[in-house]
Each structure stands twice: as structure tokens, then as C-alpha cells.
Amino acid sequence: MLTPQEIEEIRREFPILAREVSGKGMVYLDNTATSQTPLSVVDEIHRIYTTSKANVHRGVHTLSQEMTDLQEQSREKIRKYINADSREEVIFTRGTTEAINLVASSFGSRFKRGDEIILTVMEHHANIVPWQLLRDRTGIVLRVVNINDLGELDLNEYASLFNERTVMASFCHVSNVLGTINPVKEMIATAHSHGVPVLIDGAQASPHLRIDVKDLDCDFYVFSAHKMYGPTGIGVLYGKKRWLEEMPPYQGGGEMIAKVTFEHTTYAELPFKFEAGTPDFVGIAAFSKAIDFIENIGIENIADHEHLLMEYTQERMMKIPEMRIFGTAPHKSAVISFLVGRSHPYDLGLLLDKQGVEVRTGHHCAMPLMDRLDIPGTVRASYAVYNTFEEADTFLKALTRAAAILE
Ligand code: PMP
């Protein structure tokens, strides 16, 4: 377990945590949307821009070689971090969203009218809309798994949806609204027993859980750096090599080709076949420092600390009259979505902001889940490793006041 002293040391890496909002010390509880970035990452971005910036993969000159090495070292670090077999299976994208669009568009090009894809009702729009775009092009059918009152997937329904037309299953590892940690390993095994490949949206799992793509045996796994203490605009698509080799390119342009004539183009080897154009190589290189940050603390220590904070907070929130918490699965990450009585989430969010507490309000890009819960939106507080029990108390006090004002 991390000690208060260790958390204090960690906090010193995040100068933004010392700022004020509404004349009060800020409590940042919007970590699900994006986490803050430690100095080690910011310093690396600054170092590269001031000493080493040059475009990757094109030049023989020293700076270009250095930059290429930094980018590829980062790829190797991520490969190791998720336990992928090879660097060819690690594709850099702009984020989770682009990674899912890549798979839906490229892998999805093999699907035909009437083929079925299994999603769940707790998906983020990023794991719904790309499949709908594919549906509109090809006539595939989307099947949706429901949840129970705790916010857990109905695994019987999931298993019953597989049939000879099922070609893909795509679902989140952790819900960005309910916090539910889905039993993805078992769900992947079920899909594979029907010969169906699986994409896991790991956007909310990668900052909190150890990801082992080989152990999970997932076909695709996607996540974003900005939720993992890393830079914005960087994401990762892990894909099994056999699929990636078969898949057509997603975008065309520089870097992804072997030879181009006006008559015919051949494509570059993996992973570059899927990395058209100049990538955010500075961000990619700096992402490796975010992985170091996580590894130095230990992902299990991070998850334990966040879990304690979440339990501490949830328990006390339940004492506030008319409190409703959405997502109470025993196996959940440190996300608390809630409503108080008939107060509008936006009003609660504003009153919390006036007290320096930064939470997210709204549908959280999960409108079908809001429909399922029969609510317009929630207020969502979520923890990261740098949050403290004092901050939890500040939040609870601010929330009690806001709820009393809106009563
Ligand atoms: N999936 C989930 C579960 C998410 O929480 C998010 C981010 N809120 C995304 C996908 C999309 O991630 P990004 O915006 O970084 O592409």
C-alpha cells in the first residue's frame, strides 16, 4: 500500500495539482476523462523539442536517427508493458477512438450483410459509432448485451447471442461510467469457442490494471496515453499479427508504403502499414516516460490506492439523503457515477466547481447506457494515484453542501 508520504512525493511530480479553482485548492476528480501528466513526461517533451526534434524514418542524419530510436524504444516499452509478442503488433494511433475506427474499417471490410457483431450497453460511443458506420456501409447487424442492477454484464445473454452469423465481439474492459471491471478473459474464451475474434476497449483499464494481451488472448486491445499520465493525441492498437497481416491499410500516405507508382502501390511491413503520415513522434517518445512512471510505482499499488479511496468515498456518499450511485459491482475501478434526488448533474457539477472540485457531468459519451438507466446523465468523480483521503473529504464536504443547496 502507498503511504501518505509516498503520495506526497508523487504529487510533487504534478505541479498542476497545486493550482486553485474558484479561489480554493483544486481537487481534480476527472481522471476518467484524462489524467494529469507528471514532470518526467513534460520534461521529455521539452527536451525533445529543444534538443532532438527531427522527423522519424526518413533521414540518415543524426537527429532523425535519434528520434527514430526514441520512437521505437517507446514501442518496445509498450510491447513489453502489455506483453505482446512483437513490436509489429503495436500500432500507434491518435487514441482509442482512432484505433477502434481502424479495426472497424479495416478488419470490418471482410464482413458481409447479415453478419453480427456483439457489443454491450455500457460501451463508450467510440465503441458504438464506428460499428454503426460499418453497419451503414455493409448491412451488418449489431447485437447488444444488457446489464443487471449492479452494472454488471448479463453473461448468460452474452453467451446466448453467439450464432453462426457472429463475426466479432467488441466490448470495454472497464466501463467509464459504472467502473465495472468486466470478466474479459472469460468473455474472450466464450467468443473464441465460437471462432469469433474480440476487440477490447481498454481505455479505462490500462491506467489501473495490468494488461497482458497474451494471457487475455484478445485479438485486438486499444487504449489512450492521455488517460495513463501520458501525452494527448497518442493511442495504441494492439492486434494479433495474423490479423494485422491480413488487414488492408486504414489510411494511405507517407511511411506506410514500400513502393509507389501511379499504377500500383505496395505497402510497408507491420507496424508501419497502419501508420500513414508523420506520427506524433514526440508524444510517442514521451509516452514511454509515463509507462516508467506507472512501473516505478507499480500498477497494483496504484489500483489498491484508488480502490481504497473509492470505497472510503462511496461509503460516506451513501449517507447523503437521496444519493443514487450507478455502478455498484463488487469488481469495479475507482469511478463513482451518481445523482442526488432530482438535482440536475450540471447544477451539482457547477456547485462543486465553485468549491474547487473538478468532476465531470453529463452522459459521458455513453448515451445508450443513460437510456438503459433511464437518466439524462450523471455526475462522475474518479480517482488517480495522486488523489488523497483529504481530497476525498473535501469532495464529500463540498458534495454535502451542494446537495443541501439543491434540495
Ligand atoms: N472508450 C472508453 C471506455 C473511454 O472511456 C474513452 C474516453 N473517455 C474512449 C473509449 C475514447 O478515448 P479517446 O477519446 O482517448 O479516443
Side-chain angles (χ1 to χ4, degrees):
M1 215 187 73
L2 294 167
T3 64
Q5 290 77 4
E6 283 170 320
I7 301 294
E8 268 319 303
E9 263 171 50
I10 289 168
R11 285 177 72 82
R12 280 199 280 278
E13 276 268 309
F14 295 84
I16 196 170
L17 298 177
R19 68 161 282 178
E20 294 195 338
V21 166
S22 311
K24 309 217 161 43
M26 176 192 71
V27 177
Y28 184 78
L29 300 182
D30 194 17
N31 295 289
T32 299
T34 197
S35 55
Q36 298 301 342
T37 308
L39 282 174
S40 54
V41 174
V42 179
D43 289 348
E44 180 67 353
I45 293 170
H46 183 262
R47 186 188 73 77
I48 292 172
Y49 273 112
T50 50
T51 64
S52 294
K53 186 182 172 212
N55 209 335
V56 286
H57 295 310
R58 282 197 193 113
V60 288
H61 65 79
T62 303
L63 258 59
S64 177
Q65 289 298 326
E66 274 178 20
M67 200 60 243
T68 304
D69 288 348
L70 284 172
Q71 172 170 291
E72 294 311 310
Q73 281 158 15
S74 189
R75 197 188 304 273
E76 171 58 17
K77 186 158 284 177
I78 290 154
R79 180 204 69 72
K80 230 168 121 191
Y81 187 68
I82 62 172
N83 196 27
D85 267 331
S86 83
R87 280 191 290 143
E88 295 162 297
E89 297 179 320
V90 178
I91 316 276
F92 287 117
T93 66
R94 281 193 304 122
T96 301
T97 303
E98 189 178 55
I100 299 175
N101 275 279
L102 191 164
V103 175
S105 175
S106 170
F107 192 65
S109 64
R110 68 182 60 203
F111 302 152
K112 311 242 157 11
R113 177 169 298 280
D115 285 351
E116 294 185 4
I117 297 188
I118 298 176
L119 307 176
T120 86
V121 76
M122 66 167 73
E123 297 314 311
H124 186 282
H125 296 161
N127 196 25
I128 300 174
V129 184
W131 303 110
Q132 286 176 329
L133 292 173
L134 182 66
R135 177 186 66 187
D136 296 346
R137 285 202 301 275
T138 63
I140 58 160
V141 176
L142 305 182
R143 308 293 302 269
V144 182
V145 184
N146 207 338
I147 51 169
N148 64 20
D149 289 343
L150 297 179
E152 297 168 311
L153 289 175
D154 180 342
L155 295 179
N156 290 329
E157 185 188 21
Y158 170 71
S160 75
L161 287 180
F162 286 89
N163 62 52
E164 66 286 351
R165 291 183 302 276
T166 312
V167 289
M168 180 99 197
S170 186
F171 42 82
C172 60
H173 197 161
V174 173
S175 160
N176 68 314
V177 177
L178 306 164
T180 313
I181 302 174
N182 292 320
V184 289
K185 190 171 171 181
E186 292 75 17
M187 292 172 74
I188 292 164
T190 303
H192 285 175
S193 73
H194 294 275
V196 172
V198 180
L199 180 147
I200 303 292
D201 171 356
Q204 295 301 340
S206 52
H208 314 288
L209 302 175
R210 182 157 296 285
I211 308 302
D212 184 331
V213 293
K214 270 213 294 256
D215 180 54
L216 291 176
D217 197 24
C218 50
D219 298 274
F220 301 99
Y221 197 101
V222 298
F223 53 97
S224 300
H226 70 94
K227 296 180 194 289
M228 301 172 68
Y229 310 102
T232 57
I234 311 291
V236 173
L237 162 64
Y238 158 80
K240 279 185 181 164
K241 193 171 164 191
R242 77 170 256 238
W243 296 129
L244 295 175
E245 276 177 339
E246 285 176 21
M247 286 160 56
Y250 172 55
Q251 293 183 328
E255 311 293 345
M256 53 73 72
I257 52 87
K259 183 166 170 32
V260 179
T261 66
F262 274 106
E263 288 69 41
H264 187 64
T265 291
T266 51
Y267 306 123
E269 298 291 309
L270 290 172
F272 307 111
K273 182 170 91 174
F274 291 107
E275 293 180 354
T278 299
D280 181 355
F281 50 80
V282 178
I284 290 169
F287 185 23
S288 75
K289 300 291 176 190
I291 303 281
D292 288 343
F293 171 80
I294 292 174
E295 295 273 51
N296 287 341
I297 301 170
I299 191 88
E300 289 80 9
N301 291 330
I302 292 175
D304 285 351
H305 174 69
E306 294 167 343
H307 196 77
L308 288 174
L309 278 172
M310 190 260 293
E311 284 194 326
Y312 176 90
T313 312
Q314 267 195 183
E315 215 180 288
R316 284 158 181 78
M317 280 172 74
M318 290 314 288
K319 300 200 178 106
I320 298 174
E322 295 194 75
M323 175 61 64
R324 280 195 292 166
I325 293 181
F326 301 91
T328 47
H331 206 38
K332 75 173 270 191
S333 79
V335 180
I336 311 174
S337 280
F338 63 94
L339 286 174
V340 186
R342 289 198 296 177
S343 315
H344 196 280
Y346 187 73
D347 294 334
L348 273 169
L350 271 181
L351 286 174
L352 287 169
D353 183 60
K354 287 273 165 282
Q355 300 174 79
V357 179
E358 309 298 280
V359 293
R360 187 136 299 239
T361 60
H363 54 65
H364 315 297
C365 298
M367 281 182 166
L369 177 60
M370 296 301 124
D371 286 345
R372 161 65 182 82
L373 298 169
D374 201 20
I375 51 174
T378 74
V379 184
R380 184 184 67 189
S382 50
Y383 287 118
V385 67
Y386 41 67
N387 289 122
T388 64
F389 286 88
E390 290 74 32
E391 287 184 316
D393 285 336
T394 306
F395 165 59
L396 287 161
K397 219 166 120 191
L399 179 57
T400 307
R401 276 187 68 189
I405 292 169
L406 293 172
E407 204 182 349

mmCIF file of all heavy atoms in Angstrom, residues 70 109 116 299 396:
data_model
loop_
_atom_site.group_PDB
_atom_site.id
_atom_site.type_symbol
_atom_site.label_atom_id
_atom_site.label_comp_id
_atom_site.label_asym_id
_atom_site.label_seq_id
_atom_site.Cartn_x
_atom_site.Cartn_y
_atom_site.Cartn_z
ATOM 1 N N LEU A 70 14.151 6.786 -30.420
ATOM 2 C CA LEU A 70 13.265 7.096 -29.280
ATOM 3 C C LEU A 70 11.870 6.550 -29.522
ATOM 4 O O LEU A 70 11.252 5.964 -28.633
ATOM 5 C CB LEU A 70 13.197 8.613 -29.054
ATOM 6 C CG LEU A 70 14.399 9.256 -28.386
ATOM 7 C CD1 LEU A 70 14.273 10.777 -28.416
ATOM 8 C CD2 LEU A 70 14.548 8.776 -26.939
ATOM 9 N N SER A 109 -13.784 -4.753 -43.121
ATOM 10 C CA SER A 109 -14.029 -4.835 -44.573
ATOM 11 C C SER A 109 -14.308 -6.267 -45.024
ATOM 12 O O SER A 109 -14.770 -6.495 -46.126
ATOM 13 C CB SER A 109 -12.847 -4.249 -45.353
ATOM 14 O OG SER A 109 -11.695 -5.025 -45.118
ATOM 15 N N GLU A 116 -23.087 -10.588 -37.754
ATOM 16 C CA GLU A 116 -23.457 -9.962 -36.478
ATOM 17 C C GLU A 116 -22.235 -9.621 -35.622
ATOM 18 O O GLU A 116 -21.289 -10.416 -35.531
ATOM 19 C CB GLU A 116 -24.380 -10.901 -35.692
ATOM 20 C CG GLU A 116 -25.718 -11.091 -36.397
ATOM 21 C CD GLU A 116 -26.716 -11.914 -35.599
ATOM 22 O OE1 GLU A 116 -26.411 -12.290 -34.438
ATOM 23 O OE2 GLU A 116 -27.799 -12.175 -36.142
ATOM 24 N N ILE A 299 1.588 -0.850 -10.937
ATOM 25 C CA ILE A 299 0.165 -0.698 -11.293
ATOM 26 C C ILE A 299 -0.732 -1.269 -10.196
ATOM 27 O O ILE A 299 -1.811 -0.731 -9.922
ATOM 28 C CB ILE A 299 -0.133 -1.321 -12.681
ATOM 29 C CG1 ILE A 299 -1.524 -0.945 -13.190
ATOM 30 C CG2 ILE A 299 0.029 -2.830 -12.687
ATOM 31 C CD1 ILE A 299 -1.607 0.313 -13.945
ATOM 32 N N LEU A 396 -16.382 15.239 -0.330
ATOM 33 C CA LEU A 396 -17.594 14.834 0.409
ATOM 34 C C LEU A 396 -18.264 16.040 1.060
ATOM 35 O O LEU A 396 -19.489 16.182 1.034
ATOM 36 C CB LEU A 396 -17.230 13.782 1.463
ATOM 37 C CG LEU A 396 -16.897 12.396 0.889
ATOM 38 C CD1 LEU A 396 -16.124 11.552 1.891
ATOM 39 C CD2 LEU A 396 -18.168 11.674 0.450
#
